């Protein structure tokens, strides 16, 4: 979405081959990056700025998916790995961007939260990490606001991404239930997340910072209505 709107986009991913393939489709560039590596992240920003100029925006979208599990069944090693990527890695990326943007007096950062940041779920590493990421966006927005740097979170609901589609195909998730719990009666399209991110990074959102924007087809608004028979049918 950003590339389509004229941004010079760079995809930074631990899987360089996949990043290059996606970048080729988008007219973007790609670099290898493990976001858990602070030195590598700083070097990646240096490389990008040497090649393309000052970084004006960051979409910190690094994350690992966690299958539902009880706390007793969640290995601590998996918990640590998810926290390392989903929270620590996002923080490292935001600091690398913010330390460069703030002295220049401008910049925009968006982090990926989740509706599970504000609702319970059997995701005892993923959900707390996302809650922390959302709060981190508010903290850094307050920290860098006077320096002209805006920081916001976008919290997706159930989006038809490859991992979720794979879970549906394996019978682990019921798409009908996911859709019925949302006010709009459907799941979210990936492009709808991109549109929200592009808006928050644009000048149209110049007075918006420190917020968490749910893009969830109304799941947060209507999910509790299951105790009342579910969301109202279309009139």
């Amino acid at each position: 979405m950003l590339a389509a709107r004229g941004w010079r986009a760079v995809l930074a991913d631990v899987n360089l081959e996949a990043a290059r393939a996606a970048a080729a489709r988008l007219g973007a560039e790609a670099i290898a990056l493990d976001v858990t590596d602070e030195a590598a992240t700083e070097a990646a920003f240096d490389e990008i700025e040497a090649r393309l100029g000052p970084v004006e925006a960051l979409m910190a979208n690094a994350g690992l998916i966690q299958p539902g599990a009880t706390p007793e069944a969640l290995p601590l090693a998996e918990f640590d790995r998810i926290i390392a990527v989903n929270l620590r890695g996002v923080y490292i990326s935001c600091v690398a961007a913010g330390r460069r943007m703030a002295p220049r007096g401008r910049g925009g950062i968006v982090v990926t939260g989740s509706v599970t940041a504000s609702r319970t779920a059997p995701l005892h590493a993923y959900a707390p990490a996302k809650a922390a990421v959302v709060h981190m966006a508010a903290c850094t927005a307050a920290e860098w606001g006077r320096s002209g740097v805006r920081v916001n979170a976008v919290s997706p609901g159930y989006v038809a991404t490859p991992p979720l589609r794979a879970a549906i195909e394996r019978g682990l998730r019921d798409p009908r239930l996911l859709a019925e719990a949302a006010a709009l009666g459907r799941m979210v399209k990936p492009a709808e997340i991109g549109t929200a991110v592009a808006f928050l990074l644009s000048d149209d959102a110049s007075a918006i910072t420190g917020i968490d924007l749910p893009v969830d087809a109304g799941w947060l608004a209507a999910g509790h209505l299951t105790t009342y028979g579910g969301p109202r049918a279309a009139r």
Side-chain angles (χ1 to χ4, degrees), residues 129-229:
K130 290 298 186 180
V133 164
V134 168
H135 193 63
M136 183 186 72
C139 290
T140 51
E143 184 73 29
W144 294 325
R146 298 295 176 89
S147 298
V149 179
R150 298 183 300 106
V151 189
N152 294 291
V154 167
S155 282
Y158 289 99
V159 185
T161 57
L164 182 55
R165 289 199 301 269
I168 290 170
E169 290 169 1
R170 295 197 304 271
L172 301 178
R173 302 305 298 267
D174 185 338
R176 180 182 59 83
L177 294 178
L178 298 179
E180 285 185 355
L184 298 181
R186 65 174 178 84
M187 297 198 326
V188 181
K189 302 172 184 176
E192 292 173 319
I193 304 299
T195 298
V197 172
F199 165 69
L200 288 174
L201 290 176
S202 75
D203 290 339
D204 290 335
S206 57
I208 301 175
T209 193
I211 71 159
D212 177 27
L213 176 62
V215 184
D216 64 348
W219 184 86
L220 288 173
H224 73 286
L225 290 178
T226 54
T227 58
Y228 294 90

Side-chain angles (χ1 to χ4, degrees), residues 23-104:
R25 294 194 304 270
L26 299 171
E29 299 194 36
I31 62 171
L33 177 61
D34 177 353
V35 296
T36 66
D37 186 332
E38 181 184 11
T41 301
E42 291 288 343
F45 274 81
D46 286 341
E47 178 184 347
I48 291 168
E49 295 204 333
R51 286 165 49 186
L52 301 178
V55 172
E56 299 283 346
L58 168 68
M59 173 53 185
N61 190 47
L64 298 173
I65 302 298
Q66 179 203 340
T70 66
E72 305 95 306
L74 177 63
L76 191 57
E78 182 177 355
F79 178 93
D80 290 342
R81 190 170 71 99
I82 290 169
I83 296 299
V85 175
N86 295 19
L87 175 55
R88 185 175 182 273
V90 171
Y91 179 74
I92 288 171
S93 300
C94 289
V95 171
R99 79 164 76 253
R100 290 164 172 80
M101 294 174 177
R104 298 168 187 151

